[in-house]
Amino acid sequence: MYENDKITINWLKIIVRVVIAFLILMLTIKLVSICLDNSKNSKNDKILENNLNILDEFANTYFTDDLLPDEVGKSVKISVQDLIDEELLDIEELDNADSCDMEESYIQATRLEDEYQLKSFMVCGDEEDTKNSFIEDKNTEPTTEVTTTTTRTTVTTTTTSSTTSNTTKKTTTTAKKTKNYQISFNSNGGSSISSVTVKAGAKLSKPENPVRAGYEFVGWYYRGEAFDFDKAINQDYVLVAKWIKK
């Protein structure tokens, strides 16, 4: 009788221990799953953040005077896939591009009252985010007024008295500030080339060739065509380096 009671008590202990072990196992699996999800989300967030910063920097050089909208409230939009297809943006510059949707991702410029809003939108995996930046409206050029004052004195003499009168003539001359244009270089994965400023009507001097491991530099291109360094500059440009694999 006593042995049966003892055996029953031992079985109860075993069952309790099994249940506790099972609960601990399930809790451990749950914690590991949460940690893995957090790690994955953290990695996706980092990829999204990096690509948004790249797009925002590219948008600031891509949207030049001839591409910016003229009317307030109007927008110009282009997908990241179109930029890649036109060889304006190298897909290798993006972080883990295979996990991102290039058709849905885009850059956009919107004309406001006295500035432009540049919007960069990126979709990577199940995450999406937007980054906005602003640039001044460069279409309105400041003018400088130069005021010159000339004093003329007339002396009138008579027999009984002498009268001196002063007449002030004010001449206003308005001089327009010389227009300068910004030329930026997108090395498309190669070594960095600094931007330059060129006066209106002047010619752009060729910069040094960028360097990229495993590639040969072909030349500087603008919107898919080789740039002509002999023509006069009359707008801002973003020149893109073209490469061929060695």
Side-chain angles (χ1 to χ4, degrees), residues 24-38:
I24 292 175
L25 177 62
M26 294 301 294
L27 181 60
T28 302
I29 293 174
K30 185 65 175 178
L31 290 174
V32 171
S33 176
I34 292 174
C35 291
L36 291 176
D37 288 342
N38 289 339

Side-chain angles (χ1 to χ4, degrees), residues 2 6 15 36 65 80 101 111 113 145 147 154 182 208 240:
Y2 293 107
K6 185 176 181 181
I15 293 172
L36 291 176
D65 285 349
V80 176
D101 190 337
R111 174 72 182 272
E113 288 293 339
E145 283 197 354
T147 301
T154 304
Q182 185 78 13
E208 59 180 290
V240 181

Side-chain angles (χ1 to χ4, degrees), residues 181-198:
Y181 292 103
Q182 185 78 13
I183 313 297
S184 303
F185 300 93
N186 179 359
S187 59
N188 200 11
S191 56
S192 177
I193 303 296
S194 300
S195 300
V196 296
T197 300
V198 180

Side-chain angles (χ1 to χ4, degrees), residues 165-176:
S165 61
N166 294 331
T167 303
T168 301
K169 180 182 178 182
K170 184 178 181 181
T171 304
T172 301
T173 304
T174 301
K176 289 188 176 180

Side-chain angles (χ1 to χ4, degrees), residues 63 122 195:
F63 286 112
M122 196 76 194
S195 300

